[in-house]
């Protein structure tokens, strides 16, 4: 009598993958988006945000603008502009700041910051459809900035060439450092993220700001691990950035990055949902289809979590699927296993149990182990 086969349990597209999150702001939102799609998240804020109310540099810039009104103000982010106005209110300077800005030509980078400007009772003069700071710069330089005093709301992100170009054009530029970022007070999570990346126990690292990327690289350099980190990010661990500005510190080190077309958290997560499964190794083995992910294996679509030692063995076997791999070679693949080949047998027993299909891996007496690659695939994978 025909028995209906049990359907594999549903799982998200990121199930079996571990993703590092370096964000300080909106880290919970990004982590939740990733976890809802099945990922394990390692959160290590690479920066901390200076509270606005305590930021002496922002207070000084605010007083400077109230004391000497600029000709033009450039607003770059909605949250930054709102935060600036709220901080000024807290210092008792809110009304004075808004009164000065009412007589200023205000350029807004995009629709979100336009909304924040109007909510404050102000009106922007112009905003580029592209949401590009490059277009804002082009407009200012075409109109001419010589002799003008221009306030630029900064938001932690570098604006490559923006301030320098205005100054080269003869402008006096006042930076408004909203949400300044400093290294984290607790470096433990960052160190764990660096170690996990170097050990390849992470599948991807996400970056939502250029300073976070620069901070991670700087911390690795302080620990003497920069070359190891760059090697991991260059070959095995995916670098996913929310946009091109964020990617600059990584690209300057020769690291390839992936970026969504729309520079938002949602599209960043969607990008990972496509990229990581596409990078997973899929093989036809003993009548089953296996897909080797970061810390788990899909066996005919069913998710099978595998211990770290087992994943090390499986990756070693999958490099030459169908070929015998000796116990000595497998022992070298085990992290911290020492010289006892019995460790291979123990880890192999646990791996087979985790996979739920013991025949996927064959024991070859006195020689080692092999993935039981289906015969039809021998030609394709035999020379792996």
């Amino acid at each position: 009598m025909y028995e209906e086969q049990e359907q594999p349990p549903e799982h998200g597209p990121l199930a079996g993958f571990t993703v590092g999150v370096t964000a300080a702001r909106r880290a919970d939102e990004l982590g939740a988006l990733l976890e809802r799609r099945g990922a394990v998240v390692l959160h290590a804020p690479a920066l901390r945000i200076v509270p606005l109310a305590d930021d002496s540099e922002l207070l000084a810039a605010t007083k400077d603008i109230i004391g000497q009104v600029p000709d033009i103000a450039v607003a770059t982010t909605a949250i930054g502009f709102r935060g600036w106005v709220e901080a000024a209110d807290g210092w008792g300077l809110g009304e004075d700041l808004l009164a000065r800005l009412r007589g200023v030509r205000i350029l807004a980078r995009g629709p979100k910051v336009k909304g924040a400007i109007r909510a404050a009772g102000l009106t922007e003069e112009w905003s580029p459809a592209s949401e590009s700071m490059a277009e804002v710069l082009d407009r200012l330089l075409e109109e001419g900035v010589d002799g003008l005093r221009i306030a630029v709301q900064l938001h932690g992100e570098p604006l490559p060439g923006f301030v320098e170009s205005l100054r080269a054009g003869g402008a006096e530029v006042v930076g408004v450092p909203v949400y300044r970022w400093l290294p984290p007070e607790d470096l433990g999570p960052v160190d764990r993220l660096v170690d996990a990346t170097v050990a390849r126990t992470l599948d991807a690292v996400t970056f939502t700001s250029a300073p976070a990327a620069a901070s991670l690289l700087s911390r690795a350099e302080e620990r003497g691990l920069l070359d190891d980190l760059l090697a991991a990010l260059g070959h095995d661990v995916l670098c996913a950035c929310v946009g091109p500005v964020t990617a600059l510190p990584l690209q300057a080190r020769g690291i390839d990055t992936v970026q969504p077309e729309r520079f938002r958290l949602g599209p960043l997560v969607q990008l990972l949902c496509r990229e990581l499964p596409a990078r997973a190794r899929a093989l036809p083995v003993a009548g089953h289809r296996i897909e080797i992910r970061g810390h788990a294996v899909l066996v005919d679509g069913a998710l099978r979590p595998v211990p770290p030692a087992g994943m090390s063995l499986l990756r070693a076997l999958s490099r030459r699927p169908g070929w015998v791999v000796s116990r000595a070679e497998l022992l070298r693949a085990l992290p911290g296993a020492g010289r006892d080949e019995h460790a291979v047998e123990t880890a192999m027993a646990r791996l087979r149990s985790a996979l739920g299909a013991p025949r996927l891996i064959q024991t070859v007496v006195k020689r080692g182990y092999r993935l039981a690659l289906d015969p039809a695939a021998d030609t394709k994978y035999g020379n792996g």
Side-chain angles (χ1 to χ4, degrees):
M1 180 177 178
Y2 173 77
E3 293 183 5
E4 184 177 350
Q5 291 186 345
E6 181 182 350
Q7 293 297 312
E10 291 187 2
H11 54 76
L14 295 179
F17 295 112
T18 304
V19 179
V21 171
T22 61
R25 190 174 67 86
R26 298 181 70 187
D28 290 344
E29 180 183 350
L30 177 55
L33 288 171
L34 292 166
E35 287 173 348
R36 280 203 295 270
R37 287 155 181 81
V40 170
V41 174
L42 179 60
H43 181 217
L47 299 165
R48 61 186 168 95
I49 299 172
V50 178
L52 290 175
D54 301 334
D55 196 332
S56 58
E57 288 192 21
L58 179 60
L59 174 58
T62 303
K63 288 180 176 179
D64 186 11
I65 287 170
I66 291 172
Q68 187 178 355
V69 182
D71 301 291
I72 297 171
V74 180
T76 58
T77 65
I79 188 171
F81 190 84
R82 286 195 301 266
W84 181 25
V85 173
E86 290 169 4
D89 280 337
W91 297 320
L93 300 174
E95 290 186 8
D96 288 342
L97 176 63
L98 292 177
R100 300 298 187 277
L101 291 178
R102 284 191 184 96
V104 171
R105 296 170 56 202
I106 301 177
L107 306 186
R109 189 189 71 173
K112 286 187 177 181
V113 70
K114 278 169 55 176
I117 290 167
R118 294 178 184 181
L122 305 172
T123 304
E124 79 287 348
E125 177 184 273
W126 177 79
S127 178
S130 65
E131 300 184 46
S132 165
M133 288 299 289
E135 190 172 346
V136 175
L137 179 63
D138 288 344
R139 182 183 177 97
L140 287 171
L141 294 178
E142 285 173 7
E143 293 177 349
V145 296
D146 189 25
L148 297 182
R149 179 173 164 87
I150 302 176
V152 180
Q153 174 226 320
L154 308 173
H155 187 61
E157 299 278 3
L159 300 174
F162 191 90
V163 171
E164 293 83 355
S165 297
L166 292 177
R167 285 177 176 153
E172 176 192 358
V173 180
V174 181
V176 182
V178 180
Y179 291 111
R180 278 192 303 123
W181 291 334
L182 298 176
E185 291 179 324
D186 180 7
L187 290 168
V190 175
D191 287 347
R192 287 191 289 274
L193 180 67
V194 170
D195 291 342
T197 304
V198 169
R200 277 73 167 175
T201 55
L202 279 184
D203 300 290
V205 182
T206 61
F207 297 95
T208 55
S209 72
S215 177
L216 189 73
L217 295 172
S218 175
R219 180 57 183 165
E221 189 167 24
E222 289 173 7
R223 296 179 59 206
L225 293 172
L226 181 59
D227 288 344
D228 294 333
L229 180 70
L230 294 176
L233 294 176
H235 299 96
D236 302 303
V237 180
L238 181 67
C239 258
C241 298
V242 77
V245 172
T246 296
L248 289 175
L250 297 160
Q251 292 175 345
R253 296 283 190 169
I255 301 301
D256 291 331
T257 65
V258 295
Q259 304 154 33
E261 292 184 5
R262 293 177 59 246
F263 309 146
R264 302 284 188 273
L265 294 187
L268 177 63
V269 173
Q270 292 167 9
L271 178 66
L272 286 171
C273 289
R274 295 191 301 271
E275 290 284 338
L276 286 179
R279 290 160 65 100
R281 187 78 184 273
L283 294 167
V285 180
H288 301 274
R289 183 185 187 276
I290 68 169
E291 182 180 309
I292 303 170
R293 297 193 168 192
H295 60 263
V297 179
L298 293 184
V299 181
D300 297 330
L303 188 70
R304 302 282 187 177
V306 174
M311 289 304 302
S312 297
L313 294 182
L314 187 57
R315 287 198 180 92
L317 293 170
S318 70
R319 290 189 192 103
R320 289 179 290 167
W323 287 48
V324 178
V325 182
S326 70
R327 284 179 175 81
E329 186 174 341
L330 292 172
L331 181 62
R332 289 194 294 272
L334 284 178
R339 299 180 180 179
D340 186 359
E341 291 188 2
H342 180 67
V344 174
E345 296 173 11
T346 302
M348 189 63 71
R350 291 175 180 165
L351 171 59
R352 283 170 163 158
S353 175
L355 293 175
R359 294 182 180 178
L360 294 176
I361 301 171
Q362 293 177 342
T363 301
V364 181
V365 179
K366 296 183 179 181
R367 292 182 60 200
Y369 300 89
R370 65 182 289 271
L371 277 181
L373 193 70
D374 287 341
D378 280 346
T379 302
K380 180 176 180 182
Y381 296 102
N383 295 322

